[in-house]
């Protein structure tokens, strides 16, 4: 199987990912972390696993009308469900590549113990947002979320690293962010402020403390920056009508929490 053409192996990987439940699948060489450095070297895949030549990034949507109820148990259980699906997909993709004789490993979708630990160090061991960016799945918006054409920021991802020779996707040239300011204005924690190069400065402690408050109220994560973002083809079917009523948002926020 190691002699399979990179384009054919890419087709097999995409087919397998779709069978496992992925809605978006992209791949790229791990050299892109060094060619377009954003994080320090210890966060780069080959600083951890030097044999990891390529990354496979798989994404699933979080559905806009459910995110629109945030903060609520509706949104929280959507978040939890997407996490289970992503880790299952990544495990099975890693096992499939391993069965064909390749080296492979995956980074789970969050990679941190709980929200409390982020007060001391608000970073995970790996950024799937950057993996999505390097693989051409989307571009990074002013809110620091990955924005995709298909789902805007309403997508969650997981990444498989492998030595398999897989045809790469190009990075996106276009900036998908509209720089409309909605995420900054609507952030309930006041996390964002004007920054440079089209990105907002982000006060991670404010964000984490707001999530701790929501966790204490038994419905988290926040997701307001996902909810208000106008980017994404997934919103087309809801334009011209309310995606959720104010009464419905209040109802979902109260019950089950």
């Amino acid at each position: 199987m190691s002699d399979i053409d990179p384009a054919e192996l890419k087709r097999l990987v995409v087919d397998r990912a779709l069978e496992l439940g992925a809605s978006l699948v992209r791949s790229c060489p791990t050299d892109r972390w060094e060619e377009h450095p954003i994080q320090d070297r210890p966060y780069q895949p080959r600083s951890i696993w030097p044999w990891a030549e390529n990354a496979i990034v798989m994404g699933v949507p979080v559905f806009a009308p459910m995110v629109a109820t945030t903060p609520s148990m509706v949104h929280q259980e959507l978040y939890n469900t997407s996490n289970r699906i992503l880790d299952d997909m990544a495990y099975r993709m890693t096992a499939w590549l391993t069965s064909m004789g390749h080296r492979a490993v995956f980074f789970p979708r969050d990679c941190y113990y709980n929200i409390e630990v982020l007060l001391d160090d608000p970073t995970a061991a790996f950024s799937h947002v950057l993996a999505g960016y390097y693989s051409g799945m989307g571009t990074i918006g002013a809110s620091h979320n990955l924005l995709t054409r298909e789902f805007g920021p309403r997508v969650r991802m997981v990444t498989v690293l492998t030595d398999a020779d897989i045809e790469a996707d190009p990075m996106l040239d276009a900036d998908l962010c509209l720089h409309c300011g909605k995420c900054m204005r609507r952030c309930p924690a006041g996390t964002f402020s004007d920054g440079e190069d089209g990105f907002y400065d982000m006060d991670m402690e404010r964000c984490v403390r707001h999530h701790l408050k929501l966790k204490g109220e038994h419905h988290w994560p926040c997701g307001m920056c996902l909810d208000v973002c106008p980017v994404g083809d997934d919103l087309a079917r809801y334009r011209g009508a309310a995606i959720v009523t104010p009464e419905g948002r209040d109802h979902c926020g109260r019950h089950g929490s």
Side-chain angles (χ1 to χ4, degrees):
M1 297 295 287
S2 60
D3 295 329
I4 294 179
D5 176 82
E8 175 62 14
L9 184 53
K10 173 63 173 293
R11 186 189 66 77
L12 293 174
V13 164
V14 170
D15 287 348
R16 180 63 175 157
L18 296 176
E19 289 174 3
L20 292 174
S23 295
L24 300 176
V25 191
R26 300 290 188 275
S27 61
C28 67
T30 54
D31 287 346
R32 287 185 185 169
W33 272 258
E34 299 179 49
E35 294 166 358
H36 308 275
I38 296 175
Q39 285 185 309
D40 294 335
R41 185 171 179 81
Y43 293 92
Q44 297 174 4
R46 295 185 70 178
S47 294
I48 305 169
W49 292 293
W51 48 263
E53 298 287 343
N54 287 289
I56 302 165
V57 187
M58 298 179 286
V60 298
V62 286
F63 307 113
M66 299 174 76
V67 175
T69 67
T70 198
S72 71
M73 281 303 301
V74 172
H75 180 215
Q76 181 174 326
E77 292 195 338
L78 171 66
Y79 178 85
N80 292 342
T81 299
S82 68
N83 284 348
R84 290 195 302 271
I85 291 170
L86 287 166
D87 282 349
D88 185 73
M89 287 193 312
Y91 181 94
R92 292 175 184 274
M93 178 65 76
T94 300
W96 180 72
L97 288 166
T98 301
S99 73
M100 294 197 300
H102 301 294
R103 288 176 285 191
V105 68
F106 74 96
F107 264 111
R109 68 293 180 287
D110 279 337
C111 273
Y112 59 83
Y113 176 66
N114 60 26
I115 195 71
E116 287 85 355
V117 303
L118 297 182
L119 283 175
D120 295 325
D121 182 3
T123 57
F126 185 79
S127 170
H128 299 293
V129 167
L130 291 186
Y133 169 64
Y134 291 133
S135 70
M137 186 175 287
T139 64
I140 301 174
S143 65
H144 300 222
N145 288 308
L146 186 78
L147 305 184
T148 66
R149 288 193 174 98
E150 295 86 352
F151 308 112
R154 292 165 295 278
V155 62
R156 289 186 56 72
M157 297 155 287
V158 73
T159 306
V160 175
L161 302 170
T162 181
D163 64 357
D165 189 7
I166 303 170
E167 185 179 66
D169 290 293
M171 294 175 65
L172 296 184
D173 293 328
D175 182 4
L176 298 182
C177 184
L178 302 178
H179 301 280
C180 62
K182 289 184 177 180
C183 54
M184 180 168 65
R185 293 192 302 270
R186 295 288 300 278
C187 176
T191 297
F192 302 115
S193 58
D194 288 324
E196 298 179 354
D197 301 323
F199 296 98
Y200 296 138
D201 290 333
M202 186 174 184
D203 187 330
M204 286 298 297
E205 183 175 344
R206 280 178 176 259
C207 184
V208 171
R209 288 196 181 281
H210 180 64
H211 279 87
L212 286 171
K213 174 179 177 292
L214 294 180
K215 189 175 181 183
E217 296 170 354
H218 308 142
H219 51 204
W220 77 290
C222 171
M224 188 60 70
C225 53
L226 311 186
D227 178 32
V228 302
C229 181
V231 176
D233 295 340
D234 60 324
L235 297 179
R237 69 202 69 190
Y238 300 106
R239 290 195 174 103
I243 196 168
V244 64
T245 65
E247 297 84 2
R249 185 191 292 265
D250 183 62
H251 175 85
C252 292
R254 285 198 321 271
H255 294 282
S257 297

